[in-house]
Amino acid sequence: TSPSAEELGIPGYLLSHPDPGSRVAANERRIARAGQDFSGYRVGREDFLARLDGLVYGEDPRQGYFIGQRFIQPTLGLELTFPFGWDTQNSPQAVQAVSAQRDAMMQLSFAGVDTVDAGLGRFGQQQGVTLLQTNRQNLNGLAVAWAEFRATPQPDQTLRGYILYASHNGSVFQLLGYTPQDRWPAVGPALAASFQTFARIVNDPALLDVSPHQIQIVRLDQSMTGREFLTRYPSTVDDQSVLLANQISADERLESGRLMKQITGGRVPGQ
């Protein structure tokens, strides 16, 4: 079994998800305190699985996906290529990248303003921020306002970076990149090159026409092993993921009529 968070020395409050072992132990304590006899309760496994039919499995590429360092947002019709070797992460709030040396970062997010000028003005009014040069232009089909800036979030800390606001389909987006002042000569050109890749995607079905993997609930027509299930009901993800999703092993014998999760679909360029 995998070591618990406590065994690894990781405090539970630092975890984005509670430690599974802690959850199980906590639930067992709650059940013991309840003093309730659960032997007569029905386990609604089939009802539960029926509700999973058609559910998205894994990440949904319609919310954005990566081809290497290239980020594609098909729903919004936007793309951005982050610097080579940077670690990237997509979340509902923002797309972020951090340099391998952890000394620079970039972030693309909704700006929360009505115009690119309003965004740039608000950014420049922040305490400690100085806009060194500004410009307005058409960048790869996007109306943008951008600036190079210097910021002093603390008296002993100076940052340099670029800030860009882009208007697209009724929304304004903010693209931010920065690094410490002493790293600017090395990192600045990489940030500038990455900013130049921010673009609209126009009529490119290969990038825009994507779909996620989905769970399909199937009922076994005969008894079989987990390995035979993988062959009889092929999925579009690797075998180990399917076994894990069903909480079975390859050699486990499955009874006829059992409901199982098959993973189907999934269309993402370059994956």
Side-chain angles (χ1 to χ4, degrees), residues 157-179:
Q157 182 183 33
T158 301
L159 304 175
R160 285 284 295 276
Y162 292 113
I163 181 70
L164 179 148
Y165 292 89
S167 178
H168 177 61
N169 285 347
S171 297
V172 177
F173 299 86
Q174 174 186 280
L175 179 58
L176 171 67
Y178 61 85
T179 190

Side-chain angles (χ1 to χ4, degrees), residues 117-141:
D117 288 330
L120 194 59
R122 185 181 68 179
F123 184 85
Q125 291 170 2
Q126 295 180 97
Q127 184 175 1
V129 172
T130 302
L131 301 184
L132 303 177
Q133 59 174 310
T134 64
N135 195 6
R136 288 158 182 77
Q137 66 182 91
N138 185 293
L139 176 64
N140 304 318

Side-chain angles (χ1 to χ4, degrees), residues 27 55 99 103 132 139 141 175 180 186 219 227 232 252 260:
N27 286 335
L55 194 69
S99 65
D103 61 355
L132 303 177
L139 176 64
L175 179 58
R219 189 181 296 275
R227 185 173 290 103
R232 290 280 306 276
E252 184 173 338
M260 298 289 293

Side-chain angles (χ1 to χ4, degrees), residues 2 4 9 53 86 126 136 143 158 186 196 200 222 228 237 244 253 261:
S2 300
S4 67
D53 195 38
W86 285 33
Q126 295 180 97
R136 288 158 182 77
T158 301
Q196 289 294 322
R200 293 174 56 200
Q222 63 184 62
E228 290 169 335
V237 298
L244 183 61
R253 173 62 61 175
K261 302 169 191 168

Side-chain angles (χ1 to χ4, degrees), residues 7-263:
E7 291 169 333
L8 291 173
I10 305 172
Y13 59 82
L14 290 181
L15 300 175
S16 59
H17 297 283
D19 177 36
S22 298
R23 282 204 306 266
V24 171
N27 286 335
E28 289 176 344
R29 288 194 297 269
R30 293 189 187 100
I31 292 172
R33 287 197 302 267
Q36 176 71 42
D37 180 10
F38 292 97
S39 61
Y41 282 65
R42 182 176 68 90
V43 177
R45 180 179 184 275
E46 293 203 357
D47 292 341
F48 173 73
L49 289 177
R51 293 177 179 272
L52 301 183
D53 195 38
L55 194 69
V56 170
Y57 176 86
E59 296 183 358
D60 188 343
R62 295 170 298 187
Q63 305 302 316
Y65 63 93
F66 285 94
I67 303 177
Q69 297 300 102
R70 186 184 182 190
F71 176 72
I72 309 294
Q73 220 305 342
T75 304
L76 299 174
L78 294 171
E79 68 168 286
L80 173 68
T81 300
F82 290 98
F84 177 77
W86 285 33
D87 293 331
T88 57
Q89 182 180 37
N90 181 29
S91 72
Q93 292 76 33
V95 189
Q96 297 179 320
V98 180
S99 65
Q101 294 77 20
R102 297 296 189 267
D103 61 355
M105 70 87 65
M106 286 181 61
Q107 176 177 285
L108 174 63
S109 61
F110 284 100
V113 295
D114 294 330
T115 67
V116 296
D117 288 330
L120 194 59
R122 185 181 68 179
F123 184 85
Q125 291 170 2
Q126 295 180 97
Q127 184 175 1
V129 172
T130 302
L131 301 184
L132 303 177
Q133 59 174 310
T134 64
N135 195 6
R136 288 158 182 77
Q137 66 182 91
N138 185 293
L139 176 64
N140 304 318
L142 298 170
V144 307
W146 65 270
E148 182 182 337
F149 70 90
R150 180 174 60 242
T152 53
Q154 299 177 20
D156 60 346
Q157 182 183 33
T158 301
L159 304 175
R160 285 284 295 276
Y162 292 113
I163 181 70
L164 179 148
Y165 292 89
S167 178
H168 177 61
N169 285 347
S171 297
V172 177
F173 299 86
Q174 174 186 280
L175 179 58
L176 171 67
Y178 61 85
T179 190
Q181 172 73 43
D182 61 350
R183 293 291 296 153
W184 183 246
V187 177
L191 288 175
S194 182
F195 271 52
Q196 289 294 322
T197 68
F198 193 36
R200 293 174 56 200
I201 303 174
V202 182
N203 299 326
D204 191 340
L207 295 177
L208 301 177
D209 187 16
V210 297
S211 63
H213 294 292
Q214 292 180 293
I215 296 175
Q216 181 176 341
I217 302 300
V218 296
R219 189 181 296 275
L220 302 186
D221 59 0
Q222 63 184 62
S223 176
M224 62 186 71
T225 64
R227 185 173 290 103
E228 290 169 335
F229 167 73
L230 296 172
T231 302
R232 290 280 306 276
Y233 299 88
S235 290
T236 53
V237 298
D238 64 276
D239 290 350
Q240 191 58 41
S241 294
V242 179
L243 294 174
L244 183 61
N246 285 282
Q247 296 183 309
I248 62 171
S249 67
D251 296 323
E252 184 173 338
R253 173 62 61 175
L254 311 172
E255 69 275 13
S256 176
R258 177 169 174 163
L259 292 184
M260 298 289 293
K261 302 169 191 168
Q262 181 184 19
I263 313 300

